[in-house]
Amino acid sequence: MYRAGDVVRHLRDGQLEFLGRRDHQVKIRGQRVEPGEVEAAVRTLGGVRDAVVVADRSGPGGTRLLAYLAGEVDPLAVRSALAGRLPSAMVPAVVVPLDALPLSANGKVDRAALPPAPVPEYDTYLPPRDPEETLLCALFAELLGLPRVSRHDDFFALGGRSLLATRLVAGGAPRSASRCRCAC
């Protein structure tokens, strides 16, 4: 059974072959998300002249949303404002401010010309305060494939998802988890 927006073709043997989607809809943490809806929400924020939201499948935590914004905006403030308005799966993991969005010859946003998204990082690195935080930050960094994780970093904003966290808790943690001597 195919849903509206799915593109299929009818093969000679009578089978249907799924080719993709007609729209930009993606699945984030088990929820279908239309990036255009996120773009509309972003455009209502002060300082935003234009926005484009794309799905990035190269992150360590699976598919995540990237928001590219033209205008004078603070990425953390944008994420915070959207977190109050949208379900968590629709809040972009990374907000990239640009002077202007790249345009193609016909005046449309050239998605292929968008710069690669940086690894989300907060302005200030705060080191872990105790051995438990040190271990947790090290485990999260290894699980997410990051060089380091600050004690105030948001696991999900860095590309984490519930299945990765579950793997960590269920014993499928990275190598460094074997060093844990705590009673967890």
Side-chain angles (χ1 to χ4, degrees):
M1 166 141 324
Y2 293 92
R3 299 174 186 238
D6 288 345
V7 178
V8 298
R9 72 176 174 174
H10 197 12
L11 301 175
R12 291 181 187 185
D13 64 359
Q15 297 291 318
L16 294 176
E17 179 184 12
F18 177 74
L19 299 175
R21 294 212 37 97
R22 181 174 51 216
D23 53 16
H24 297 286
Q25 196 176 80
V26 294
K27 206 168 204 178
I28 309 273
R29 295 191 296 255
Q31 298 178 25
R32 290 221 176 259
V33 174
E34 177 58 58
E37 292 179 30
V38 180
E39 289 172 10
V42 170
R43 286 185 184 113
T44 66
L45 301 176
V48 176
R49 289 190 315 269
D50 201 5
V52 64
V53 176
V54 298
D56 174 33
R57 291 174 175 83
S58 66
T63 304
R64 63 186 181 153
L65 292 178
L66 308 178
Y68 294 90
L69 312 179
E72 298 294 322
V73 295
D74 173 25
L76 292 177
V78 169
R79 287 194 79 249
S80 178
L82 292 175
R85 296 180 182 186
L86 300 172
S88 64
M90 293 178 73
V91 176
V94 180
V95 175
V96 181
L98 301 172
D99 293 331
L101 297 178
L103 300 178
S104 65
N106 63 2
K108 294 183 178 182
V109 175
D110 186 356
R111 293 172 185 262
L114 292 168
V119 173
E121 204 171 306
Y122 293 96
D123 293 335
T124 313
Y125 173 76
L126 294 176
R129 294 174 289 204
D130 55 43
E132 287 80 17
E133 277 188 1
T134 301
L135 177 63
L136 191 59
C137 287
L139 289 172
F140 282 177
E142 189 172 338
L143 188 67
L144 296 170
L146 300 173
R148 69 180 184 185
V149 173
S150 176
R151 73 173 183 238
H152 64 82
D153 285 344
D154 182 333
F155 175 75
F156 294 101
L158 293 172
R161 55 192 165 102
S162 58
L163 290 177
L164 285 176
T166 303
R167 192 173 93 198
L168 182 72
V169 172
R175 294 184 316 264
S176 59
S178 61
R179 295 190 303 249
C180 180
R181 304 224 191 296
C182 61
C184 57

